[in-house]
Amino acid sequence: MDSQTKSNQPKTSQVKTKPKLNSKNQSFKLQANNVDVFYDDFQAIENISLDIVEQSITAFIGPSGCGKSTFLRLFNRMNDYIDGFLMNGSILLDGNDIYDSSINVEELRKTVGMVFQKPNPFPKSVYENVAYGLRIQGIKDEEYIENRVVESLKQATLYNEIEGNLEKQALALSGGQQQRLCIARALAVKPSILLMDEPTSALDPISSGKIEDLIHELKKEFTIVIVTHNMQQAARVSDNTAFLYMGKLIEYGDTQKIFTNPEKDRTQNYITGRFG
Amino acid sequence: MAPQHLDSELKLLKDNVLELMFLVKNQLEKGQKALDDFDEELAHEIMANEKRVDSLELTIDRDCENLLALYNPVAVDLRFVMAAFKINSDLERIGDHANSIAKYIADFGRKIDEDTLETMRLDKMYNTANEMVSNVFNAFITEDTDLARKVFRLDKTLNKINREVSGATAELIEADISQTQNYLYLFSIIRKLERVGDLTKNIAEELIFYIEAKVLKHKKMKSKNNNGNDK
């Protein structure tokens, strides 16, 4: 995939709810246009259009089954493996349609990394976990791999905690450390986007706090999209929030606005815990 | 999140703020009656009630702290808790003014003659301040922001009287210098009622912030014809 494509400045004529831009120079990294998703006869996503701002954090919130994880997984084509999956509309990454037949999905996933709800390290050393993505890309240069491993572990704020012991077994780490290892593993292949599907729901508050701090640091370099059931987490970490309900995008925009004075009653009822 | 619990906590907070508002409203109204009738007993009753005002203020502070810490309210709930917290402080200060006025009345030692009351425009000042507090009280119950906005115009009346009465006070003192202290007491009451007006206006602003999510604080009146709809 060509990541050096044309800039996608906000188009004011589009009838979409608008995300907040932190600076005038920010553009849209991902753009979903009139997206429908079906699993056989069931429509999981209904005509969602939404732009995701580069180097920002976007949170998807909504009750279980609202389609937020399905929508997240569209960005790295993780839904392709599900039987009966069908998508209409388009998803653009740096202006290129990632569902175009010319797109190499493996290449796409180098650009769009993903972190899941439960930490899922391989039963290998810390080093081999982080090196894994580089090795399956066919990289043989061990010095380069080692540099990437160390740099990724530092970025994921794990390197100091394991005191540089890269041979430590991944499964011997705490849950929070394992999740940061998974983030380091995703970072090693130099993605530009990180998708996170409830990355702290299995963690204690201290570990969650460390991941949140890390997410905040990573946005300087990466575009982050996070699905969370934790309203306070969405409010704390994200720049923009999208509220989905029954497959529809109800409201999308500046997180501060959503959590202080949402436009829609349905959003207010959800974030204040009165339904959902 | 436990919305039923949150709703009952928010209702409890609203009930407590309303109770304090009602108490303070009564304190102010009793002050006017005590002044008009030179009712020292009523003045002492106001002073005794000040403890209830202080006690309720502490209860509401604690309610707000608990709500923020335990329920993490957002959106309209957060605005309500923030408004309640500030209204609580404004009410306590109105209560303080009512208490100070009661002390003046008790210290005054005799009934104030009608002419002096008229010259100092104390009844007009009291009636206007009482109307403002009644408006915010009813506006809080009914969540009626139009009613809350009415206090902005009334506050201007208080400010105008306050400005004008200083000259009248000086003339009264010049005419009978032996009554200087008493006239200064009465002028202090005017000043305190003017502050009550400012605090009540703050309460109206907080109600509008809570209900409409609009911040009116530190904004100038846009035009003369908007009937107090902006300030």
Side-chain angles (χ1 to χ4, degrees), chain A residues 28 50 52 63 71 92-93 111 124 178 182 216 224 234:
Chain A
F28 297 137
L50 173 150
I52 291 188
F71 197 64
L92 307 183
L93 193 166
T111 307
K124 294 169 181 278
Q178 286 184 14
C182 293
H216 196 71
I224 297 168

Side-chain angles (χ1 to χ4, degrees), chain A residues 59-215:
Chain A
F60 291 168
I61 60 169
S64 298
C66 71
K68 56 191 185 299
S69 289
T70 290
F71 197 64
L72 182 82
R73 291 196 304 259
L74 290 174
F75 296 130
N76 67 348
R77 295 188 52 171
M78 284 283 283
N79 294 321
D80 292 13
Y81 302 115
I82 299 171
D83 288 341
F85 166 74
L86 175 75
M87 190 195 94
N88 296 325
S90 64
I91 304 274
L92 307 183
L93 193 166
D94 291 327
N96 297 323
D97 187 346
I98 62 169
Y99 282 83
D100 189 273
S101 57
S102 65
I103 291 292
N104 178 328
V105 176
E106 275 69 41
E107 286 296 313
L108 169 71
R109 290 189 190 140
K110 281 188 209 165
T111 307
V112 188
M114 189 154 189
V115 177
F116 297 88
Q117 184 176 356
K118 284 183 76 175
N120 53 357
F122 305 126
K124 294 169 181 278
S125 68
V126 166
Y127 184 95
E128 286 305 324
N129 263 275
V130 183
Y132 184 81
L134 300 166
R135 294 203 195 286
I136 61 167
Q137 282 179 23
I139 295 170
K140 301 270 194 274
D141 181 346
E142 206 55 43
E143 193 181 340
Y144 174 78
I145 292 175
E146 187 174 343
N147 285 340
R148 287 299 307 140
V149 167
V150 170
E151 195 180 324
S152 303
L153 286 167
K154 283 180 178 170
Q155 265 186 312
T157 65
L158 188 58
Y159 189 77
N160 287 343
E161 272 184 45
I162 58 170
E163 296 169 332
N165 181 3
L166 304 179
E167 293 311 311
K168 192 167 185 170
Q169 281 302 302
L171 296 178
L173 300 175
S174 72
Q177 288 174 328
Q178 286 184 14
Q179 190 64 307
R180 277 180 284 147
L181 176 64
C182 293
I183 292 172
R185 190 173 62 191
L187 298 178
V189 296
K190 293 191 168 178
S192 59
I193 298 167
L194 270 184
L195 308 179
M196 298 183 160
D197 196 351
E198 296 186 55
T200 64
S201 63
L203 305 179
D204 67 87
I206 302 292
S207 302
S208 297
K210 286 183 180 174
I211 300 277
E212 286 181 18
D213 289 344
L214 171 59
I215 292 170

Side-chain angles (χ1 to χ4, degrees), chain A residues 30-59:
Chain A
L30 291 161
Q31 293 174 287
N33 297 308
N34 306 106
V35 171
D36 294 316
V37 172
F38 296 88
Y39 295 120
D40 293 321
D41 294 337
F42 173 70
Q43 185 163 9
I45 297 289
E46 204 176 318
N47 194 27
I48 290 185
S49 295
L50 173 150
D51 297 330
I52 291 188
V53 182
E54 67 172 358
Q55 287 173 293
S56 74
I57 303 166
T58 303

Side-chain angles (χ1 to χ4, degrees), chain A residues 231-232 258-262 268 271-274, chain B residues 1 3 6-7 10 72 74-77 79 213:
Chain A
M231 294 296 111
Q232 281 74 44
I258 297 261
F259 282 92
T260 54
N261 185 24
Q268 176 142 290
I271 63 171
T272 57
R274 290 187 171 83
Chain B
M1 207 175 291
L6 175 60
D7 279 340
L10 290 170
N72 298 303
V74 293
V76 65
D77 298 338
R79 294 200 305 274

Side-chain angles (χ1 to χ4, degrees), chain B residues 26-230:
Chain B
N26 274 346
Q27 291 279 84
L28 214 55
E29 286 167 357
K30 282 177 185 168
Q32 183 175 18
K33 194 169 185 321
L35 185 73
D36 282 349
D37 302 345
F38 184 58
D39 187 338
E40 276 185 283
E41 203 173 314
L42 195 54
H44 284 289
E45 186 185 320
I46 294 166
M47 288 186 264
N49 278 342
E50 172 66 3
K51 282 182 185 162
R52 282 184 61 207
V53 173
D54 291 347
S55 163
L56 261 172
E57 187 210 9
L58 293 175
T59 302
I60 293 166
D61 271 353
R62 195 197 57 221
D63 289 348
C64 291
E65 188 182 352
N66 285 345
L67 264 159
L68 290 169
L70 304 178
Y71 294 92
N72 298 303
V74 293
V76 65
D77 298 338
L78 177 62
R79 294 200 305 274
F80 175 72
V81 177
M82 287 175 67
F85 189 73
K86 290 185 179 179
I87 288 170
N88 185 37
S89 168
D90 291 333
L91 288 172
E92 192 274 336
R93 288 171 66 193
I94 294 174
D96 277 349
H97 288 309
N99 184 48
S100 301
I101 292 171
K103 281 182 187 163
Y104 287 144
I105 295 165
D107 288 349
F108 209 76
R110 62 174 176 79
K111 189 173 181 351
I112 302 156
D113 65 81
E114 295 288 331
D115 287 347
T116 306
L117 282 178
E118 185 63 33
T119 308
M120 301 286 286
R121 299 174 71 186
L122 271 159
D123 266 344
K124 175 71 177 166
M125 201 73 184
Y126 249 124
N127 288 339
T128 309
N130 285 334
E131 187 182 348
M132 288 176 75
V133 176
S134 281
N135 280 354
V136 293
F137 179 69
N138 290 320
F140 193 31
I141 292 173
T142 57
E143 305 203 335
D144 179 349
T145 49
D146 288 339
L147 187 55
R149 283 186 164 88
K150 285 188 177 163
V151 307
F152 300 146
R153 184 175 45 80
L154 293 170
D155 186 50
K156 289 185 190 306
T157 306
L158 291 188
N159 293 342
K160 186 166 179 281
I161 297 173
N162 179 50
R163 280 194 304 273
E164 291 169 355
V165 163
S166 61
T169 309
E171 284 171 20
L172 283 169
I173 291 170
E174 275 176 29
D176 184 358
I177 203 154
S178 69
Q179 291 298 312
T180 299
Q181 190 176 16
N182 286 342
Y183 292 138
L184 288 177
Y185 270 161
L186 294 177
F187 187 60
S188 297
I189 294 174
I190 294 283
R191 297 296 296 268
K192 287 189 180 302
L193 291 173
E194 190 272 332
R195 285 297 300 138
V196 167
D198 291 342
L199 293 163
T200 309
K201 193 177 74 172
N202 291 350
I203 294 173
E205 287 171 353
E206 292 308 327
L207 288 178
I208 291 163
F209 165 72
Y210 147 53
I211 298 163
E212 296 181 1
K214 287 182 184 161
V215 177
L216 301 186
K217 221 185 270 184
H218 309 310
K219 284 187 183 162
K220 299 275 183 215
M221 178 78 87
K222 280 178 188 161
S223 77
K224 286 180 180 175
N225 301 321
N226 64 359
N227 199 24
N229 284 334
D230 210 336

